[in-house]
Amino acid sequence: DIQMTQSPSSLSASVGDRVTITCRASQNIDSYLNWYQQRPGKAPKLLIYAASSLQSGVPSRFSGSGSGTDFTLTISSLQPEDFATYYCQQSYITPPYTFGQGTKLEIK
Amino acid sequence: EVQLVETGGGLIQPGGSLRLSCAASGVSVSSDYMSWVRQAPGQGLEWVSVIYTGGAIYYADSVKGRFTISRDNSKNTVYLQMNSLRADDTAVYYCARGSITFEYWGQGALVTVSS
């Protein structure tokens, strides 16, 4: 199975900061990489699909990049509602479509 | 508007069985890929199973042989039959539309396996 490793596991930042979260796959997954945001007690929300495509309705301050094994999620200017946990997920060829362990973004 | 509503969660003893249901509206389970994803308390997301429109089914190794995904097109509902439950199956179980990208999610159903 493909393993997904996110870094950092947690991150403290302030409103207005630019934040980058990285995700590394254990093998080449082309651009089959998605990003989700999860707020406490809520279901995950799709932010980015196919590594860099912004899901409809998601603010443009979110962006994704990368291909192959290394990927990044960037939030250009943090807003109060962005403090949450973020997960990457690979969807390469056949299941299991594994998730990263998550990155908890906290207010500094 | 797409809505996915999971029911059937609860407290069950180790070794027991439980069936989760995911009632869908705004989407047809017969023509969409439907998946289950779970999240243990305080932990990350774990992909569990998917059923494709053509009927192909996949499971995570951790549930293979114990869990069964199915659908009832007439009820527009997807099911997850869970047998031989273990303590480490304790989690919130989410139903999600999609296979490679999960665009829509239910609110989740809590399954607690404990004696």
Side-chain angles (χ1 to χ4, degrees), chain A residues 34 36 38 46 55 87 91 97, chain B residues 39 99-103 106:
Chain A
N34 308 309
Y36 299 85
Q38 187 179 33
L46 177 65
Q55 174 68 3
Y87 294 93
S91 55
Y97 295 137
Chain B
Q39 185 170 36
S99 65
I100 63 172
T101 300
F102 303 129
E103 184 180 5

Side-chain angles (χ1 to χ4, degrees), chain A residues 51-93:
Chain A
S52 60
S53 295
L54 192 68
Q55 174 68 3
S56 175
V58 174
S60 59
R61 63 181 179 272
F62 291 92
S63 64
S65 65
S67 67
T69 61
D70 294 311
F71 303 86
T72 61
L73 172 70
T74 299
I75 310 172
S76 59
S77 178
L78 275 173
Q79 299 302 300
E81 61 268 29
D82 299 338
F83 292 94
T85 299
Y86 293 85
Y87 294 93
C88 63
Q89 177 231 347
Q90 65 83 16
S91 55
Y92 186 65
I93 302 181

Side-chain angles (χ1 to χ4, degrees), chain A:
Chain A
D1 296 353
I2 299 173
Q3 307 303 314
M4 306 301 294
T5 303
Q6 288 182 233
S7 61
S9 296
S10 63
L11 176 61
S12 294
S14 302
V15 172
D17 283 353
R18 179 184 180 91
V19 167
T20 297
I21 298 169
T22 65
C23 180
R24 175 165 289 177
S26 60
Q27 68 180 71
N28 174 37
I29 58 170
D30 292 337
S31 295
Y32 291 91
L33 192 284
N34 308 309
W35 289 97
Y36 299 85
Q37 175 194 67
Q38 187 179 33
R39 297 190 177 105
K42 300 295 186 182
K45 173 186 175 183
L46 177 65
L47 299 176
I48 302 286
Y49 62 95
S52 60
S53 295
L54 192 68
Q55 174 68 3
S56 175
V58 174
S60 59
R61 63 181 179 272
F62 291 92
S63 64
S65 65
S67 67
T69 61
D70 294 311
F71 303 86
T72 61
L73 172 70
T74 299
I75 310 172
S76 59
S77 178
L78 275 173
Q79 299 302 300
E81 61 268 29
D82 299 338
F83 292 94
T85 299
Y86 293 85
Y87 294 93
C88 63
Q89 177 231 347
Q90 65 83 16
S91 55
Y92 186 65
I93 302 181
T94 57
Y97 295 137
T98 44
F99 290 86
Q101 81 279 15
T103 295
K104 186 174 184 179
L105 180 53
E106 299 175 304
I107 301 175
K108 185 183 288 184

Side-chain angles (χ1 to χ4, degrees), chain B residues 5-46:
Chain B
V5 179
E6 301 97 335
T7 56
L11 175 64
I12 187 75
Q13 291 189 338
S17 297
L18 210 57
R19 188 179 80 160
L20 301 181
S21 301
C22 171
S25 58
V27 61
S28 171
V29 303
S30 64
S31 57
D32 273 291
Y33 300 160
M34 299 298 295
S35 300
W36 289 94
V37 176
R38 69 183 181 181
Q39 185 170 36
Q43 302 301 308
L45 301 169
E46 180 186 14

